[in-house]
Amino acid sequence: MVAKTFGSAVSGVDAKLITIEVNVGQGTNFFMVGLPDSAVKESQQRVESALKYYGYRMPRQKVVVNLAPADIRKEGSSYDLPIAMGILKASEQVIFPTLDQYVIMGELALDGQLRPVKGVLPIAIEARKKGFKGFILPLENAAEASIVNSLDIIGVSHVDEAIRFLEGELEIEPLITDTRDIFYNSLAKYEFDFADVQGQENIKRAMEIAATGGHNVIMIGPPGAGKTMLAKRLPSILPPLSLQEALETTKIHSVAGKLGKNASLIAQRPFRSPHHTISDVALVGGGGNPQPGEISLSHNGVLFLDELPEFKRTVLEVMRQPLEERKVTISRAKVSVDYPANFMLIASMNPCPCGYYNHPEKECVCGPGVVQRYLNKVSGPLLDRIDLHVEVTPVKFDEMTSTRKAESSDSIRDRVIIGRKLQFERFEKFPEIYCNAMMPSHMVKEMCQINEAGKSLLKTAMERLGLSARAYDRILKVARTIADLANSENIKVEHLAEAIQYRSLDREGWAG
């Protein structure tokens, strides 16, 4: 007899339906076909032990398990439960009248307990799309899958529960989650707030501009000046996630297995801060079994690279294409996978190896040429994709001990949202562009027009400060954002002047 159950395989951030066909016939061997990896093949031992634990038997006949379509590679241990259900039905130990109405996934322990699996959210979305009634999965994954409505989410803790439910002996109420309620209640809950930061008003201003226009930022300053503290607070002033963005972000974290137990919808913008020893693949994604990297995990949020020159040059160079295209394509001989990577890059660095070049009080002890060599570790093409270069100076004692309450993230975020609304209206006809930083060069000329006084100022700045040609577009984009924050239709001279301040690393001879 041939029995069919349904599972799913995750490819990129989407899922594909997998049909698990089980045939029990004459013979004695167990065969698994359909491009299973080692973890899938080993399911035979887990399934046998789990079934025996609850008084069922593994057929002592020829058992063939086919995972179709057979040309897609099947990976991981999440096929244990559907294989077990297929074997029970094919060997006629149990009658399952509703087996074909459910997608089933789950890893089995030897005692039949169910362990959580990765990629549950995209699988639930695919199950609903294919018209299945429900999704049977480990109890710990149920909250994550319940984000998807119009699908019965049946969480089970051991294999016997799944068997009795499919037999009709046990009733399990589908888990229903009010996604919108969870989403809107968690929107503005951030661990860090700009109210904790004393002083550094100029850096806060730069962060506000960056958040409004979606600009990338590099902060350069001595150790202890507050670069990391400021970067951690940036997500708290970004516009709140939309429900669609929250779903995209949750899907990526689900595929990567980063959601944790009983997790639901991600309602805050992600903040990722990888260590400088990270490899190319860990940052950009990929591997033998392609997984999202840090830049995809920071999709719709912030990627913070602390001590930028300490990262391997090859690691930094692989970011250049994702920064432009806002997606990552992982290509292999037989498969090509796309991961979204629309993130804000925030980087920080010391001005030199000792950290005290240009310090107002401490003296730099680096030798001649050392500072320039240190700065040269960050390539020009990467700096070209960073709009704001901000010099961070140490906070004075009077500011640190001041009892004056600093401005909170909430009030800064209100201004950012107003600025983003103006940009949304400006780019209404261009759905792929929603902030000033995403404007291509041809659009900059149209959207960022300046008057004669502005042209004169920009020309003087480029000549006197030795600004490179690549700084021109960046200055205009930042000036456009500053004008939006001021609710000004046109870019004024003062907006340009402020934008020019944020190109310090483009100045020739910055490091002497």
Side-chain angles (χ1 to χ4, degrees):
M1 181 181 175
V2 176
K4 288 185 182 179
T5 59
F6 297 94
S8 193
V10 175
S11 173
V13 290
D14 297 311
K16 294 175 182 173
L17 189 69
I18 301 295
T19 305
I20 296 112
E21 301 169 331
V22 182
N23 184 24
V24 176
Q26 289 187 345
T28 53
N29 289 337
F30 184 98
F31 297 96
M32 186 162 313
V33 294
L35 280 185
D37 73 349
S38 297
V40 182
K41 287 176 183 173
E42 288 165 358
S43 68
Q44 179 191 354
Q45 314 304 327
R46 293 190 294 272
V47 168
E48 183 170 356
S49 176
L51 292 180
K52 278 183 177 176
Y53 192 87
Y54 285 100
Y56 299 98
R57 60 180 172 79
M58 192 72 165
R60 294 297 165 219
Q61 296 161 275
K62 181 181 176 183
V63 179
V64 179
V65 178
N66 178 39
L67 308 171
D71 59 344
I72 296 175
R73 187 157 179 77
K74 322 303 182 305
E75 292 159 334
S77 55
S78 55
Y79 298 99
D80 293 1
L81 188 57
I83 288 170
M85 298 298 107
I87 288 171
L88 287 174
K89 185 175 181 183
S91 61
E92 299 181 340
Q93 295 180 64
V94 181
I95 296 169
F96 294 136
T98 58
L99 188 61
D100 59 351
Q101 296 176 19
Y102 293 89
V103 168
I104 305 170
M105 297 298 277
E107 178 188 335
L108 287 171
L110 296 183
D111 62 355
Q113 296 293 316
L114 278 164
R115 295 192 173 118
V117 295
K118 294 195 290 188
V120 161
L121 181 55
I123 292 169
I125 292 168
E126 181 68 9
R128 184 180 64 181
K129 196 188 293 181
K130 294 292 184 186
F132 284 90
K133 182 186 177 185
F135 183 12
I136 299 171
L137 74 169
L139 194 58
E140 289 177 12
N141 291 126
E144 180 190 332
S146 67
I147 293 168
V148 180
N149 53 23
S150 305
L151 185 75
D152 289 355
I153 303 302
I154 309 297
V156 292
S157 53
H158 51 79
V159 70
D160 194 47
E161 253 187 280
I163 294 166
R164 288 191 293 133
F165 171 77
L166 286 166
E167 278 184 304
E169 285 184 14
L170 177 68
E171 271 194 36
I172 300 175
E173 280 297 313
L175 180 63
I176 297 169
T177 302
D178 189 340
T179 308
R180 290 181 183 275
D181 186 51
I182 291 172
F183 176 66
Y184 291 116
N185 283 339
S186 309
L187 266 183
K189 292 180 181 174
Y190 285 97
E191 187 181 350
F192 303 106
D193 195 292
F194 271 99
D196 307 328
V197 183
Q198 294 291 353
Q200 302 291 28
E201 297 306 323
N202 59 325
I203 319 298
K204 288 181 192 172
R205 168 69 177 169
M207 288 294 191
E208 185 180 332
I209 293 165
T212 306
H215 301 289
N216 300 322
V217 182
I218 184 166
M219 293 181 282
I220 181 164
K227 302 186 292 291
T228 304
M229 186 183 190
L230 287 155
K232 281 182 177 176
R233 281 154 179 75
L234 181 63
S236 69
I237 63 168
L238 288 169
L241 284 170
S242 68
L243 200 53
Q244 182 60 36
E245 286 176 327
L247 199 61
E248 279 178 11
T249 307
T250 310
K251 269 173 78 174
I252 295 166
H253 285 72
S254 172
V255 169
K258 303 285 184 188
L259 281 181
K261 293 179 182 179
N262 302 313
S264 189
L265 195 67
I266 292 175
Q268 281 111 31
R269 292 191 180 272
F271 178 86
R272 305 292 299 182
S273 179
H275 193 260
H276 62 255
T277 54
I278 192 171
S279 68
D280 311 18
V281 170
L283 185 71
V284 84
N289 170 19
Q291 288 285 301
E294 287 291 332
I295 61 175
S296 292
L297 291 168
S298 55
H299 178 62
N300 291 323
V302 175
L303 177 68
F304 176 49
L305 302 184
D306 201 3
E307 302 303 337
L308 191 68
E310 303 302 329
F311 284 80
K312 287 186 295 197
R313 196 176 181 96
T314 54
V315 171
L316 296 179
E317 295 310 299
V318 295
M319 280 203 310
R320 282 158 53 177
Q321 181 243 358
L323 278 167
E324 288 290 321
E325 297 188 6
R326 300 184 184 270
K327 68 173 183 178
V328 180
T329 303
I330 310 294
S331 296
R332 295 288 178 268
K334 290 184 179 178
V335 69
S336 182
V337 176
D338 282 341
Y339 292 116
N342 186 8
F343 60 93
M344 274 181 70
L345 174 65
I346 307 297
S348 75
M349 61 183 283
N350 293 331
C352 64
C354 81
Y356 296 108
Y357 180 78
N358 270 357
H359 194 282
E361 291 157 14
K362 296 186 181 179
E363 199 169 324
C364 174
V365 295
C366 299
V370 172
V371 178
Q372 192 62 56
R373 275 200 304 276
Y374 186 73
L375 293 175
N376 286 345
K377 286 184 175 183
V378 183
S379 71
L382 182 62
L383 278 179
D384 183 27
R385 288 158 173 81
I386 299 177
D387 298 352
L388 287 93
H389 306 163
V390 186
E391 290 181 63
V392 185
T393 51
V395 182
K396 293 178 180 153
F397 181 78
D398 292 346
E399 288 176 330
M400 270 194 284
T401 54
S402 170
T403 54
R404 186 174 64 86
K405 189 74 175 168
E407 190 176 21
S408 72
S409 291
D410 287 348
S411 55
I412 300 172
R413 186 169 62 244
D414 289 342
R415 295 196 295 271
V416 169
I417 290 168
I418 292 167
R420 280 282 177 110
K421 194 177 175 187
L422 290 171
Q423 294 168 60
F424 181 77
E425 290 165 4
R426 181 180 302 130
F427 303 122
E428 203 170 4
K429 295 177 184 173
F430 309 96
E432 71 283 359
I433 299 171
Y434 55 82
C435 61
N436 291 331
M438 298 171 80
M439 276 191 282
S441 293
H442 65 85
M443 203 179 278
V444 171
K445 290 175 183 168
E446 182 190 337
M447 304 281 189
C448 305
Q449 293 182 2
I450 50 176
N451 58 22
E452 288 305 316
K455 285 178 185 173
S456 174
L457 173 69
L458 199 47
K459 184 184 176 189
T460 307
M462 291 190 76
E463 288 172 356
R464 284 195 185 170
L465 299 174
L467 293 174
S468 63
R470 69 174 177 250
Y472 179 78
D473 271 9
R474 303 285 168 185
I475 288 170
L476 287 178
K477 287 181 187 180
V478 173
R480 178 66 267 170
T481 301
I482 295 167
D484 289 340
L485 273 170
N487 203 13
S488 169
E489 193 176 328
N490 301 314
I491 297 173
K492 296 178 181 173
V493 173
E494 58 265 32
H495 304 146
L496 267 175
E498 187 177 356
I500 289 163
Q501 287 185 117
Y502 299 123
R503 296 304 300 182
S504 57
L505 290 179
D506 274 330
R507 295 174 197 164
E508 288 176 3
W510 186 89

